[in-house]
Amino acid sequence: MKWTEVSVHTSNEAIEAVSNIFIEAGSGGVAIENVQDFLSTPDDGFGEIRILENQDYVSEGSLVKAYFPETKNLMELIPEIKQRILALESYGLSIGPNTFSIEDVQEENWASAWKKYYHPQQITRYLTVAPQWEEYEPKLDGEIVIRLDPGLAFGTGTHATTRLSLQGLETYIRGGETILDVGTGSGVLSIASSALGAGEIHAFDLDEVAVRSAKENVKMNAYAQNVSVSANDLLKGIEIPADIVVANILAEIIVPLIPDAWRLLKPNGIFITSGIIEAKKELILSELETQGFTILQVLQMKDWFAIVAQKVEED
C-alpha cells in the first residue's frame, strides 16, 4: 500500500498538539524525530542510553511526520491542518519554523523504519519500555518491562514529559492504589502504574484512536489486566474516588481538570501533572494552590516540568 508522509518542522513544546492534529485529520500514524531526546537524556544511574544511528535530525525543534493512505484527499486536508497548527499560537504554544514537506512512501519502508527509531530504554530505576517486536529480558533485579507498539506515537515513554510522570508514579505508588490516568495516549502511564503495584487503574482519552491504541498496549502486558481504558472528556462525569490522578497533557487542559481532580481525590490523594513548559509553570502552580492543593514537588527535565500536588487532609 502507498502512503504519503507529511512532515512538519515544529517546536518541541508543540509536538503533542501537532501529533494530535494529524491523528484527528486521519493519519495512520505519527513519527517524531528529535535527536535531543536522546543526546540530552541524563544517565541518572539507570544505564547507558543508546543513541539512534540516524543523521537526518534537525538541529533545533522536531520533525513530526504523519502518514496518510493514498485514499485520503490531502489537497483538502493540508490547508485545514496548517490552519489548526497556526491556531496553536493562540494557546501560547510556539510552533517553531512550521515548515511542511510531502513525500510518497511505501508501506514496507514505513513499517521497517520504526525499528530504526525505537529500542528498549530504561526509563526509571525499575521500568524499561521496549517495543513489542524486539526481544528484551530484564537485566536488573526488580526491573519490569513495559511492552508498547509506538506505531501511533501516543507516547513511547522516551519523551521528557512521560519520564517525569513515570518518576512521579514510581515515587508515590505504594501498592493497591486506585489511579485515574487522564489523556492516557498509548496507555504507558497506566501500564506502568500496574507494574508498580497499583490496584485499580482507569485510563481515559477523548481520542478514540488513542483509546484503541491503549487497549492494544494493555493486552501486550499480561500483568496490566487491571487497567480499564475508555473514551472520556477529561474527568467529566467520572465518579471514581482515587488515590492518584495523573495527567500528562497540555497546561491549558490541566487548568480545567484541576477542580475535578480535587473532587475525586481521596484525602491525602496525589495529583501528578506533566506536559508543562516554563511559561505555564506559575499558572499551574497558582491554580493548584487556589484549589487547595499543597505542592509537594516540582520536577524538571530539559525544558519540561511536572508538578506533584497533594489534597492534604484537614485536621
Side-chain angles (χ1 to χ4, degrees):
M1 183 174 178
K2 290 183 178 180
W3 296 76
T4 301
E5 176 189 272
V6 181
S7 178
V8 177
H9 184 187
T10 190
S11 69
N12 291 336
E13 67 184 70
I15 289 172
E16 285 82 2
V18 172
S19 298
N20 188 59
I21 288 170
F22 277 133
I23 294 297
E24 289 183 349
S27 169
V30 178
I32 298 167
E33 293 186 6
N34 179 3
V35 73
Q36 292 305 317
D37 275 346
F38 297 89
L39 293 178
S40 59
T41 297
D43 183 345
D44 289 341
F46 300 144
E48 181 181 355
I49 300 297
R50 191 186 321 189
I51 303 300
L52 301 184
E53 296 177 356
N54 189 299
Q55 303 301 316
D56 297 329
Y57 289 105
V58 292
S59 58
E60 293 184 3
S62 298
L63 291 178
V64 180
K65 297 183 175 182
Y67 297 88
F68 293 89
E70 59 180 345
T71 53
K72 287 284 184 181
N73 188 343
L74 280 179
M75 293 305 101
E76 294 181 2
L77 284 175
I78 293 298
E80 180 183 348
I81 291 169
K82 289 183 175 180
Q83 184 176 7
R84 291 192 63 190
I85 292 176
L86 286 172
L88 294 176
E89 292 185 312
S90 65
Y91 293 98
L93 282 177
S94 166
I95 57 175
N98 194 36
T99 53
F100 278 70
S101 64
I102 300 175
E103 181 180 350
D104 290 334
V105 295
Q106 294 291 331
E107 185 171 50
E108 59 268 22
N109 296 335
W110 176 29
S112 63
W114 290 111
K115 299 182 180 181
K116 186 168 57 178
Y117 295 128
Y118 294 103
H119 300 283
Q121 286 202 48
Q122 194 169 1
I123 303 300
T124 71
R125 188 171 301 278
Y126 298 107
L127 296 174
T128 295
V129 174
Q132 54 88 13
W133 61 77
E134 283 204 18
E135 293 186 8
Y136 179 82
E137 295 296 330
K139 296 177 174 56
L140 302 172
D141 290 341
E143 181 183 356
I144 300 170
V145 179
I146 298 173
R147 290 288 178 181
L148 290 181
D149 179 356
L152 291 178
F154 281 96
T156 61
T158 61
H159 193 271
T161 62
T162 312
R163 286 176 177 266
L164 290 171
S165 302
L166 290 169
Q167 289 174 10
L169 290 169
E170 188 175 87
T171 300
Y172 291 97
I173 291 177
R174 296 289 182 267
E177 291 88 352
T178 296
I179 295 180
L180 307 182
D181 176 11
V182 185
T184 191
S186 67
V188 62
L189 299 183
S190 288
I191 296 167
S193 296
S194 178
L196 292 167
E200 181 181 328
I201 304 111
H202 300 271
F204 306 107
D205 204 293
L206 185 61
D207 193 306
E208 288 287 356
V209 178
V211 170
R212 290 196 298 271
S213 175
K215 286 181 176 179
E216 290 302 314
N217 285 323
V218 166
K219 289 178 183 178
M220 291 180 200
N221 297 275
Y223 57 79
Q225 300 315 300
N226 58 338
V227 176
S228 67
V229 184
S230 58
N232 202 75
D233 185 0
L234 301 178
L235 291 174
K236 295 176 183 177
I238 302 299
E239 300 294 338
I240 304 170
D243 299 289
I244 298 175
V245 174
V246 60
N248 180 20
I249 52 182
L250 293 174
E252 290 78 10
I253 305 175
I254 293 172
V255 171
L257 173 64
I258 290 172
D260 277 332
W262 178 269
R263 173 177 62 86
L264 293 173
L265 278 170
K266 301 174 186 178
N268 295 321
I270 299 294
F271 186 25
I272 301 170
T273 60
S274 189
I276 304 165
I277 59 174
E278 173 77 40
K280 301 294 182 181
K281 183 181 68 173
E282 293 304 322
L283 168 66
I284 302 302
L285 287 169
S286 175
E287 293 288 337
L288 287 167
E289 290 173 336
T290 298
Q291 182 65 58
F293 280 104
T294 298
I295 307 302
L296 298 182
Q297 286 183 287
V298 177
L299 308 172
Q300 181 179 3
M301 183 175 289
K302 293 177 274 189
D303 298 328
W304 296 95
F305 294 86
I307 299 171
V308 181
Q310 187 173 33
K311 181 180 178 179
V312 176
E313 186 173 19
E314 297 181 358
D315 295 334

